[in-house]
Every structure is written in structure tokens, then in C-alpha cells.
């Protein structure tokens, strides 16, 4: 099931003359002090750069009209105006940018969010042009990338399973044009191409996360990932339950054996020409296609959202498709463990001792801490195959949401790589905050009978997010720089659409992973 997509292009014509269904301009919420309208009341709106010809067509009355319609310029607010032939487009959508920035243009994340909001608000329009303020300096590529990503992601809508047409549900915008000074500029065109590739990966991640869990159990998820990866020209290796048993993947089997749908481990490989002897990147993503908690069963309330517990796997697999198109000069291998955590007569139990792929033995206290079990095996395999950087992402702990909320991921691991994750996250609008791995929490995970407890002794939830990172560290070899990105909150948005996030899967952290891979390819 593929959700409808939006096409993207650049234009350098006068925005007032564009033959589109709607044109989007920006407005700030404040005007310099002392400025007032002819009527004598303070005008609190200031049109942003890019709207000059539109303002001229309205004979300077546009901000006054917007104010009378109740527009405040607040970030993300959309006010629609019928142009009645004043400009070529029949509809003008004015999106609030917040207070006027001190620099030449709003921050990229602001542009990303307002572009997404505006395109979603114009659902039903066939063609929309965005004339938003873009800087003309070194910040221009980042701003253009942000607008393009926001436009393509804000209009996303999951195809869904409805059997009857929904007449009140207007289709997403089919085509978006972005107004720039020079539409033929090679750098600008490259940004548009990249945005199309990366957002396609984000949208696919959202599709997989939003899919019903009965349609995306481990074998079928593995088949979909394999089909997409092979179509992109990537190498694929799939280990079924028999191969996992022969290979000694005790963590994946312990979790997956409780389900009638057996587990899988999918390896996806990208090796560009000339990469031999160079740096190697490993990606690992948690693929629990549904998480009941197993024998340590979860409360029923909200359990349906556990279809999203494979968000890390979806992001990693989709990132590889973007890598195949962008072709960075670095080898990248992804490891995607897939299992369904179900209670049954063959499910693993609290008290079990599980032998992991690297030989370490884990004493299980809580079968609902299943993600670290499948990830430990996959991370150990990645290190065995050889890598210099290991980036793992997972909806691992509720502790991440408690500590950092629904928008900011937690990142743990090697200090330098965690800082690179933070920088990439800030640049892409997917913030991540580095967290420690304290020795005292590791001491609380000492087992009397095995090498490590799966969770802290006594089921102590203090430092819950950090326990997950400390456990995963056991499966990374000393020579590998690694980062664990806990996306329990940011990977799924249960509220109403906001900015370029729509309800359901968000696609976090695809854009961060792509940025990190490109950074490693360029800088080592």
C-alpha cells in the first residue's frame, strides 16, 4: 500500500503571475515600532520577503485585509484570501512565521514546519506555489531544503483501508512549485532532487509504521523490505527462523518464538565502487512488528499503538533506499531484526537465561524489554561483520518519553558520535539529546547467574532509558564508535497534524541517518 505523493519543482517567474491554484506567502507577527496604517491603528503584520509582487497587486492593502480577517502572524497560522483576479492564482494562503527574525530569513526548521502546514491546509488544490522568504547567502541551500522537505511531508496522508470514498476528505496537493531567484541553478536543483529522495524514504517509513499489524508481521515485513531493497539495487540477506537457530541468534529467537509468525533478520548492503578499505557504517533498527509485552503483558489501553514498535526498523530500511539513490562514498550495511512479541506456550519467560549471538548470557526479568534482546543480536552481528560506526535506532523505552518528551530523541554511546548525531538532528529538525551511561546503573544490572540482567535488579525503573543504552553497549566491540538513538516518543505522533508531522508515524530519524551517512562519507 503506497500513499499518494506530491511532485516538486522550482520556478523563477513573478509569483503574482504563476498559473497555480494557490500561492503561499509568509507574514511576520510584528512591524517596526511607530508604523501604523492609514486608519491610525497599529499594523501588527509584516509581509515576508517573496511577497513583494503580491503586495503590490493588492495596492498595499494586503496586511490590513489580513488583520481584519483575524490574522496574527503566529507561527503556522494559515489565512486564506480569495484574490478575485488580483493575481493569477485564485487563492492566496498567508502563513504565519512568528516574530521577524534578526537574520535575513526564518530558521530552516521554521520554514520546514510552515511549508508543511500550508501545503496540508491547501488539500484539494492541484498545483500550489510557495513564495516563502529564502536567504541569498550561504544559508540558502539549508533553507531551500527545509521548504522542500516540509512541503513534501506536510501533505502526506496514509492511504488507509477504507472501502468507501470519503467525499469530505480532499486529496493532497498534487504538485508544489517553490519560487527561487534562479530555477536553473545547479545547487538549487540538487537540493530539490535530494529532498525528493529523502522524503520518499520518510513517507515509506510512515507507510510501514501506519500499516495494520496483521498485515505487517515479521515474514511479510521482511518480504516488503527485501522487495524494495532489491528493486533499488541493494544486496539483501534474509535469515529465517531456521537460519537464526543455526546461527545462534538467541535474543531474536527468544522474543520471536512466542508468535505464530516467526522472526527474521534482514541484512541490506550498499558498497559503492572504490569503498574497499574505507570507513564502514552499520545501521541497526528495532523491528518489533507488534508488542503485547509478551508474558509481562502490557495494559490494554493504548496497546494498539504498539504496531509502531518497528519504527526503528522501518527508518533504517527506508534510509538504505535513500542511500542507494544518493550514492554516498561510504559502505553502509543495515541489520533489521524483526519479531512479534506475543504471549503463548512458546514465549520466553521472566527468569529465562538467553544466550545471545555474541555468547553473552542474559537473565530475563521482563519480557516487555524485548527490543534490547533482538537489537543485541543484530548489533553483535554488525560488529562481527566489521564496521567503524554503528548507528542503532529504536522505540526502546518509555523512559525516553518521560525524560525528553515526544519530540526529542535520547542518544547514548560514544561521545564523539553522539555529538555528531545531535548536530545532524538539529540541522534536520529531528533533535536528539546526548545522555550518560552511569556506572551505578550498570552495577544494578549485575546478575547472580548470568552475565547481565536484561533490566535493573528489582525491576527498578530509575534511569530506564539509560538502562537500555547500557545493555546495548554489551554488544558493541571496543573498536567501534556507536550511538543508540531512542525514538520512543518522536517516531509516532498520536495527536492532530502539526507542521510537517501528520498523525501516526513520523519517519524519525530517517533524515538524521541520511545526514550522518553523508557526513561520514565526506569527513570520515
Amino acid at each position: 500500500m503506497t500513499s499518494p505523493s506530491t511532485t516538486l519543482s522550482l520556478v523563477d517567474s513573478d509569483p503574482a503571475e504563476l498559473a497555480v491554484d494557490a500561492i503561499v506567502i509568509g507574514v511576520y507577527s510584528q512591524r517596526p515600532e511607530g508604523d501604523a496604517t492609514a486608519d491610525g491603528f497599529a499594523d501588527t503584520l509584516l509581509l515576508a520577503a517573496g511577497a513583494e509582487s503580491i503586495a503590490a497587486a493588492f495596492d498595499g492593502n494586503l496586511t490590513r485585509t489580513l488583520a481584519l480577517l483575524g490574522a496574527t502572524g503566529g507561527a503556522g497560522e494559515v489565512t486564506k484570501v480569495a484574490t478575485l483576479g488580483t493575481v493569477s492564482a485564485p487563492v492566496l494562503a498567508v502563513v504565519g512565521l512568528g516574530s521577524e527574525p534578526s537574520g535575513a530569513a526564518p530558521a530552516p526548521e521554521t520554514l520546514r514546519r510552515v511549508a508543511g502546514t500550508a501545503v496540508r491546509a491547501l488539500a484539494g488544490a492541484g498545483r500550489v506555489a510557495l513564495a516563502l522568504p529564502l536567504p541569498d547567502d550561504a544559508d540558502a541551500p539549508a533553507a531551500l531544503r527545509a521548504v522542500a522537505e516540509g512541503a513534501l511531508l506536510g501533505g502526506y496522508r496514509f492511504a488507509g483501508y477504507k472501502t468507501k470514498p470519503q467525499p469530505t476528505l480532499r486529496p493532497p496537493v498534487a504538485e508544489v512549485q517553490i519560487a527561487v531567484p534562479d530555477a536553473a541553478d545547479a545547487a538549487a536543483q540538487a537540493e530539490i532532487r535530494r529532498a525528493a529522495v529523502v522524503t520518499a524514504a520518510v513517507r515509506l517509513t510512515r507507510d510501514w509504521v501506519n500499516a495494520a499489524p496483521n498485515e505487517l508481521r515479521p515474514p511479510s515485513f521482511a518480504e516488503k523490505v527485501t522487495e524494495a531493497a532489491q528493486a533499488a539495487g541493494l544486496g539483501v540477506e534474509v535469515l529465517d527462523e531456521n537460519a537464526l537457530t543455526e546461527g545462534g541468534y538467541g535474543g531474536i529467537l527468544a522474543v520471536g518464538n512466542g508468535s505464530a509468525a516467526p522472526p527474521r533478520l534482514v541484512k541490506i548492503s550498499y558498497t559503492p565502487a572504490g569503498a574497499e578499505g574505507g570507513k564502514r557504517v552499520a545501521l541497526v533498527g528495532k523491528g518489533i512488528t507488534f508488542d503485547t509485552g509478551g508474558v509481562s503483558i502490557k495494559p490494554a489501553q493504548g496497546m494498539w499503538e504498539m504496531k509502531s514498535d518497528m519504527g526503528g526498523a522501518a527508518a533504517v530500511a527506508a534510509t538504505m533506499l535513500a542511500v542507494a539513490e544518493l550514492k554516498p562514498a561510504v559502505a553502509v550495511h543495515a541489520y533489521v531484526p524483526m519479531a512479534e512479541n506475543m504471549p503463548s506456550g512458546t514465549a520466553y519467560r521472566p527468569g529465562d537465561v538467553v544466550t545471545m549471538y555474541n555468547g553473552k548470557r542474559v537473565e530475563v526479568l521482563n519480557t516487555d524489554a524485548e527490543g534490547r534482546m533482538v537489537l543485541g543480536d543484530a548489533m553483535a552481528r554488525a560488529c562481527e561483520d566489521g564496521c567503524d560506526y554503528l548507528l542503532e535506532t529504536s522505540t526502546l523505552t518509555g523512559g525516553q518519553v518521560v525524560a525528553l518528551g515526544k519530540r526529542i530523541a535520547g542518544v547514548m554511546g560514544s561521545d564523539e558520535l553522539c555529538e555528531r548525531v545531535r548536530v545532524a538532528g538539529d540541522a534536520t529538525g529531528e533533535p536528539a539529546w546526548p545522555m550518560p551511561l552511569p556506572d551505578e546503573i550498570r552495577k544494578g544490572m549485575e546478575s547472580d547467574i548470568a552475565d547481565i540482567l536484561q533490566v535493573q535488579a528489582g525491576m527498578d525503573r530509575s534511569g530506564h532509558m539509560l538502562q537500555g543504552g547500557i545493555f546495548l553497549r554489551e554488544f558493541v566491540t571496543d573498536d567501534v564508535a556507536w550511538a543508540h538513538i531512542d525514538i520512543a516518543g518522536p517516531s509516532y505522533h498520536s495527536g492532530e497534524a502539526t507542521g510537517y508531522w501528520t498523525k501516526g508515524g513520523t519517519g524519525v530519524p530517517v533524515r538524521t541517518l541520511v545526514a550522518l551517512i553523508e557526513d561520514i562519507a565526506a569527513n570520515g
Side-chain angles (χ1 to χ4, degrees), residues 243 312 323 336 396 461 492:
V323 165
V336 187
L396 199 67
R461 291 179 65 83
Y492 194 85

Side-chain angles (χ1 to χ4, degrees), residues 253-260 340-348:
L253 288 165
V255 177
N257 281 349
S259 171
E340 189 176 53
N341 190 24
M342 301 288 283
S344 74
T346 56
Y348 78 136

Side-chain angles (χ1 to χ4, degrees), residues 11 79 89 91 135 151 210 220-221 245 322 340 360 396 409 482 485:
V11 293
T79 305
V91 174
N210 291 332
S220 59
F221 189 20
T245 300
E340 189 176 53
K360 289 193 176 183
L396 199 67
W482 70 288
I485 308 171

Side-chain angles (χ1 to χ4, degrees), residues 133-456:
L134 298 173
D136 57 3
D137 55 15
D139 296 328
L144 178 57
R145 177 182 299 184
V147 171
E149 290 177 348
L152 292 174
L153 294 177
Y156 168 87
R157 184 183 296 151
F158 180 54
Y161 302 95
K162 292 183 182 292
T163 58
K164 295 181 179 179
Q166 303 294 304
T168 61
L169 194 61
R170 301 167 68 182
V173 171
E175 180 183 349
V176 171
Q177 299 176 349
I178 301 177
V180 294
D182 182 5
D185 179 71
Q189 287 289 344
E191 288 294 347
I192 293 300
R193 286 192 295 272
R194 183 190 183 280
V197 169
V198 174
T199 56
V202 174
R203 293 169 69 96
L204 179 58
T205 302
R206 292 179 177 183
D207 280 350
W208 280 336
V209 170
N210 291 332
N214 59 314
E215 296 208 353
L216 207 69
R217 303 181 83 180
S220 59
F221 189 20
E223 289 174 5
K224 289 181 183 295
V225 168
T226 297
E227 180 181 347
Q230 289 178 337
L234 297 166
V236 183
E237 174 190 2
V238 180
L239 302 184
D240 63 11
E241 64 272 30
N242 296 320
L244 291 169
T245 300
E246 292 175 7
Y249 294 86
I252 297 174
L253 288 165
V255 177
N257 281 349
S259 171
R264 296 288 186 266
L265 176 61
V266 181
K267 178 182 177 182
I268 310 168
S269 299
Y270 165 80
T271 307
E276 296 79 6
K279 297 293 184 182
R280 298 158 298 174
V281 179
L283 305 180
V284 178
K286 173 185 170 184
I288 302 298
T289 59
F290 193 80
D291 182 19
T292 67
V295 172
S296 307
I297 197 161
K298 294 177 179 291
Q301 184 177 6
M303 192 195 289
W304 69 271
E305 285 191 6
M306 288 300 100
K307 69 177 186 176
S308 69
D309 212 17
M310 36 63 73
V316 162
T319 294
M320 292 301 294
L321 304 182
V323 165
E325 287 204 53
L326 296 174
K327 296 180 171 52
V330 63
V332 186
H333 301 277
Y335 300 80
V336 187
M338 302 173 179
E340 189 176 53
N341 190 24
M342 301 288 283
S344 74
T346 56
Y348 78 136
R349 299 152 290 247
D352 282 1
V353 174
V354 175
T355 302
M356 304 290 284
Y357 182 73
N358 66 349
K360 289 193 176 183
R361 290 181 171 171
V362 176
E363 182 181 0
V364 175
L365 297 187
N366 181 2
T367 64
D368 194 23
E370 82 298 327
R372 64 198 67 185
M373 301 295 290
V374 303
L375 290 168
D377 278 354
M379 293 168 74
R381 167 67 189 274
C383 290
E384 180 182 83
D385 287 353
C387 60
D388 299 288
Y389 300 96
L390 192 158
L391 297 164
E392 175 273 320
T393 187
S394 49
T395 51
L396 199 67
T397 65
Q400 178 274 316
V401 184
V402 172
L404 297 172
K406 297 285 286 184
R407 194 96 195 191
I408 302 174
V411 58
M412 291 143 271
S414 306
D415 290 343
E416 182 181 1
L417 188 56
C418 286
E419 176 60 15
R420 291 175 82 168
V421 172
R422 186 194 67 78
V423 171
D426 285 347
T428 59
E430 296 179 339
W433 193 252
M435 303 295 288
L437 298 174
D439 290 339
E440 59 268 22
I441 291 182
R442 176 60 180 90
K443 290 177 183 177
M445 298 175 72
E446 290 290 346
S447 168
D448 293 335
I449 61 173
D451 297 314
I452 188 173
L453 290 170
Q454 175 209 35
V455 296
Q456 202 159 267

